[in-house]
Amino acid sequence: MSGIYIHIPFCKQACHYCDFHFSTSMKKKEEMVLAIAKELQMRKNELENETIETIYFGGGTPSILPISEIRFLIDEVYKNYKVVKNPEITIEANPDDLSNERIIGLSKTKINRLSIGIQSFFEDDLKMMNRAHNSKEAKKCLEVATQYFDNISLDLIYGIPDSSQNGEQAQQMSNEKWIQNIQTALSFGIPHISSYALTVEPKTALNKLIQTGKIAKPKDEVAQEHFAILVEMLETNGFIQYELSNFGKEAFFSKNNSAYWLGKKYIGIGPSAHSYDRFSRSWNVSNNSLYLKAIQENRLPNEIEILSITDRYNEYVMIGLRTIWGVSLHKIENEFGKEYLNYLNKQVQKFINDDLVCIENNILKTTKKGKFLTDGIASDLFFINL
Ligand code: SF4
C-alpha cells in the first residue's frame, strides 16, 4: 500500500512564518496543473506493483484550484494507478477559499477529508501571521464544512507572540487565549487537530519582524506550557495523541500521515515534493519555472539520495519516538543489527533514569514528562558514523 502526495505551489499571500515552497503569482497555474498530471503519468511505473491507499493535496494552497482542476488531477491518479476502493483523499484548504458553494462542490468530488488551516480564531494573531483569512471566515467555514464532511482536521499554532502589544511591551499569547482557541476548535466537534509551535525559520518575514523588534520572539517556556494545555484538553475530550503534534478521535487518525510515520512508500508530485521508497528519498526542484521546463522536456526534475543504514536507523528513531507506535527494539535489531541496538540501549539509559522515556514490551516510547523534549531526545540517540 502506498500514497500519492500532490504539491500545489501557489498561495494568495505569504504567511509571515512560512518557508514552504509556493508562488503568489498565479500566471502559470493552468500550465502547472497540466505538468503535475504529466508527472503522474511519467511516474506510474514506480508504483506499478502497489495499490494507492491515500491521495493528499498539499501545498501551498491546493484549495486555490477550481473544482474542475481538482477533479482532473484525481482522475489522472485513477487513470494511471491502482487505487483501493475507499482511499483517503485529503485536501488542505484555507478558510477564505471555503465558501458554502466551494464546500458543497468539494463534497461532490472524491475528496473525503479536509485539512483546514485555521491557525488561530483571533483576528490579531491572523493579522500578525499575515494569514489571508479572518476570524469570522474561520468559524463560518467550520460551521458549513462539518455539515458536508465527517473527516475534518484543523491546524492550530501555539506559542504565538501577542501582537496586540508592540515593541518592548510585546508579550506572548496568554494561556487563557490559547485555551479559548482550543475550546472554539472543540465546539465544532471536528475529529482531528494538528497543532505546532510557531517556529521562526531563517528566511521568513517573521524572522525579520523579530530582528527589528516589531514582534516579540516566541519563547520556548510558553510553547511548552501551551503544549501541556493542548495535550490535556484534547485527551480530556477523547482525542488520542498518535503523533507529537497530531490528535485524532479513534478511526480518524490521518491515514496519509500515519503511512509516512510507519515507513510506507509514497511518491510526491509537483515542485518541491518529496518521495520515499524505504531505501531512497528524492525531492523535486523547489522552483516552478524549472519544474515546468523539465516536465515539458520529459525529464523528472529531482535529486535522489540513497539512504544508508545509519540514515534509516536515525530516521526510524526520530519518527518512532514522536508516535504512539514508538521504537521497536526488535525491529532495530532485525533491520539494523546488534551494533545499533547496543548503541541505542546505552544512549537511552540517561533518559530512562530521568523518566523521559520508558521501554514497555520491547517498545521505546517517551513518557508524559519527555514528550515535549522528543526531538532533542531522538537526536541524542542518533548513530553517528565517524
Ligand atoms: S497558506 Fe500555507 S503554504 Fe501558503 S504561505 Fe501560508 S502557511 Fe505557507
Side-chain angles (χ1 to χ4, degrees):
M1 296 283 194
S2 302
I4 295 182
Y5 170 82
I6 298 175
H7 190 88
I8 306 297
F10 300 103
C11 292
K12 278 188 195 157
Q13 62 189 51
C15 301
H16 282 161
Y17 56 88
C18 180
D19 74 340
F20 292 146
H21 170 65
F22 64 91
S23 162
T24 49
S25 160
M26 302 291 151
K27 269 192 234 140
K28 295 185 174 156
K29 187 175 67 59
E30 279 83 33
E31 227 181 300
M32 182 61 71
V33 170
L34 293 175
I36 286 174
K38 186 165 168 193
E39 192 189 353
L40 279 166
Q41 293 156 18
M42 287 164 76
R43 296 183 64 186
K44 64 181 179 189
N45 293 344
E46 288 180 40
L47 297 181
E48 66 184 344
N49 299 320
E50 306 274 341
T51 41
I52 306 302
E53 229 181 347
T54 60
I55 302 168
Y56 191 98
F57 288 89
T61 311
S63 55
I64 231 167
L65 296 185
I67 303 276
S68 57
E69 289 179 342
I70 295 168
R71 258 188 226 282
F72 167 67
L73 290 176
I74 296 176
D75 288 348
E76 282 303 311
V77 173
Y78 273 80
K79 260 191 231 162
N80 291 288
Y81 299 83
K82 281 183 268 171
V83 181
V84 294
K85 200 154 168 244
N86 294 308
E88 176 188 272
I89 309 186
T90 307
I91 188 165
E92 288 178 358
N94 281 341
D96 44 304
D97 292 327
L98 292 179
S99 62
N100 295 10
E101 298 72 46
R102 292 273 296 162
I103 293 171
I104 295 168
L106 286 169
S107 74
K108 290 182 180 155
T109 68
K110 289 196 167 78
I111 303 266
N112 50 27
R113 184 168 182 272
L114 296 181
S115 172
I116 307 180
I118 300 286
Q119 316 310 354
S120 173
F121 290 100
F122 289 95
E123 208 56 51
D124 54 340
D125 294 339
L126 296 170
K127 282 214 174 89
M128 191 277 274
M129 293 189 281
N130 201 35
R131 296 287 303 174
H133 68 275
N134 59 37
S135 158
K136 205 170 149 204
E137 284 169 324
K139 292 175 186 159
K140 181 83 202 331
C141 81
L142 286 172
E143 257 167 43
V144 181
T146 44
Q147 293 168 34
Y148 292 90
F149 287 86
D150 301 328
N151 200 349
I152 297 179
S153 175
L154 62 82
D155 292 349
L156 289 178
I157 296 182
Y158 57 88
I160 303 176
D162 194 338
S163 52
S164 54
Q165 294 158 306
N166 284 325
E168 283 174 11
Q169 277 133 32
Q171 302 283 320
Q172 306 289 313
M173 179 193 265
S174 66
N175 287 351
E176 290 68 36
K177 199 172 168 191
W178 176 233
I179 289 170
Q180 239 179 291
N181 253 342
I182 302 171
Q183 277 168 343
T184 310
L186 290 172
S187 69
F188 291 97
I190 42 97
H192 190 281
I193 293 179
S194 298
S195 188
Y196 295 85
L198 182 69
T199 49
V200 186
E201 302 295 344
K203 288 182 193 147
T204 57
L206 179 62
N207 191 32
K208 227 180 225 154
L209 290 166
I210 290 171
Q211 300 294 330
T212 51
K214 296 206 172 86
I215 291 178
K217 195 171 174 205
K219 285 192 181 146
D220 265 4
E221 319 79 271
V222 175
Q224 188 160 1
E225 258 185 66
H226 287 181
F227 178 76
I229 291 170
L230 174 78
V231 173
E232 195 182 326
M233 283 181 73
L234 293 188
E235 281 181 356
T236 309
N237 282 278
F239 285 79
I240 301 161
Q241 187 181 17
Y242 67 107
E243 197 267 349
L244 198 60
S245 308
N246 284 276
F247 303 78
K249 294 256 170 94
E250 223 168 318
F252 286 98
F253 295 1
S254 157
K255 285 189 189 152
N256 176 74
N257 293 1
S258 302
Y260 292 158
W261 300 322
L262 292 168
K264 293 191 188 169
K265 196 168 167 172
Y266 61 87
I267 59 168
I269 306 285
S272 83
H274 283 230
S275 305
Y276 171 79
D277 71 359
R278 298 184 193 102
F279 302 100
S280 69
R281 191 172 281 296
S282 67
W283 53 95
N284 284 348
V285 64
S286 296
N287 178 304
N288 288 1
S289 303
L290 293 179
Y291 172 83
L292 288 170
K293 186 166 184 289
I295 295 290
Q296 278 149 11
E297 291 168 357
N298 298 317
R299 284 186 291 115
L300 290 177
N302 61 6
E303 281 182 62
I304 301 174
E305 180 193 13
I306 305 295
L307 299 172
S308 68
I309 187 163
T310 301
D311 292 334
R312 290 194 284 121
Y313 160 87
N314 288 346
E315 200 159 291
Y316 175 57
V317 168
M318 176 63 140
I319 294 173
L321 265 194
R322 290 181 63 100
T323 68
I324 200 172
W325 303 286
V327 175
S328 157
L329 301 185
H330 183 67
K331 178 171 163 147
I332 295 276
E333 185 171 8
N334 277 356
E335 263 190 55
F336 309 110
K338 260 235 150 12
E339 189 189 358
Y340 286 85
L341 181 66
N342 292 342
Y343 175 82
L344 179 62
N345 275 329
K346 190 166 149 252
Q347 288 295 105
V348 86
Q349 212 47 56
K350 58 179 180 290
F351 298 115
I352 294 179
N353 296 342
D354 290 343
D355 189 30
L356 296 174
V357 300
C358 62
I359 298 175
E360 277 168 16
N361 302 325
N362 228 18
I363 304 281
L364 174 70
K365 287 183 181 176
T366 48
T367 59
K368 202 167 185 172
K369 188 175 159 200
K371 271 224 160 84
F372 187 76
L373 306 171
T374 301
D375 291 346
I377 298 172
S379 65
D380 246 53
L381 304 178
F382 284 175
F383 195 93
I384 298 161
N385 289 318
L386 296 173

